[in-house]
Amino acid sequence: MGIMKITSVSRRFAALACASISVVGVTAVNAPTAQAATSYVNDMCSYSNHFSCFRLFYNSNSGGAVFVSNSSLNDYSGYSPNGASVVRYMFGYYSTSDGKQMTPIVGGTSGEGVAVKNNAASVDNEDSAAYRVYFNSGYAGHSQYFSAHSGGNLDSTLHNQNASQRRL
């Protein structure tokens, strides 16, 4: 009889051990995957001192923080260059000495560090090419045209509802 008690305790212990192993196995299978590294960019313009750049401003009338570029951008939220990292577009702060040259400055203006997508209010196009700003990503939906060396506030449909831009 004493041997039966040991055998029955051993069976219970073995069953408990198997249940514990299966729970650990499920936990390992459901463990989250590693997150992609994220970087933040407020300057996609390849010209020094930002001559010939298209500028999106956080505020109306070319005010507040700015995002600069000189190319088409399919999605203002950003992109993944290699699947292992993510680049997010955001507004930064620049000072201008002559209204055109822009020098990066950290700290102190409305919109600095805010995502570009669905947050722009105005445009200053210093590029020699025209641009269109679109409501949707992928150059789709309502758009507003900005000729070379022009600017202005985004219309009421695009004000804080903008997702892509195309250099024409």
Side-chain angles (χ1 to χ4, degrees):
M1 273 237 172
I3 294 177
M4 286 189 130
K5 280 187 177 179
I6 292 173
T7 304
S8 116
V9 169
S10 296
R11 285 184 188 153
R12 284 186 204 147
F13 180 74
L16 182 60
C18 287
S20 296
I21 290 170
S22 67
V23 168
V24 170
V26 168
T27 303
V29 168
N30 291 329
T33 58
Q35 294 290 326
T38 303
S39 61
Y40 297 89
V41 175
N42 59 18
D43 182 354
M44 292 297 294
C45 186
S46 60
Y47 294 106
S48 64
N49 293 324
H50 302 101
F51 286 120
S52 301
C53 293
F54 183 76
R55 304 171 188 173
L56 286 168
F57 288 88
Y58 181 76
N59 290 334
S60 298
N61 303 315
S62 300
V66 64
F67 174 79
V68 293
S69 67
N70 65 331
S71 62
S72 295
L73 298 174
N74 185 47
D75 189 345
Y76 281 152
S77 66
Y79 65 98
S80 179
N82 57 17
S85 62
V86 177
V87 176
R88 298 281 179 224
Y89 300 134
M90 65 177 203
F91 289 102
Y93 181 51
Y94 295 86
S95 71
T96 57
S97 58
D98 64 358
K100 296 184 185 211
Q101 271 195 68
M102 300 176 72
T103 307
I105 293 180
V106 176
T109 193
S110 61
E112 182 179 10
V114 174
V116 172
K117 189 169 186 174
N118 296 328
N119 287 307
S122 60
V123 164
D124 182 14
N125 183 10
E126 292 297 328
D127 199 334
S128 59
Y131 282 79
R132 272 198 184 279
V133 174
Y134 293 86
F135 185 84
N136 294 321
S137 298
Y139 319 118
H142 176 76
S143 68
Q144 186 174 352
Y145 176 84
F146 292 94
S147 61
H149 307 288
S150 72
N153 292 332
L154 293 172
D155 65 31
S156 60
T157 302
L158 291 173
H159 184 96
N160 294 334
Q161 291 296 323
N162 35 66
S164 61
Q165 73 186 37
R166 178 168 278 173
R167 186 173 194 255
L168 304 172

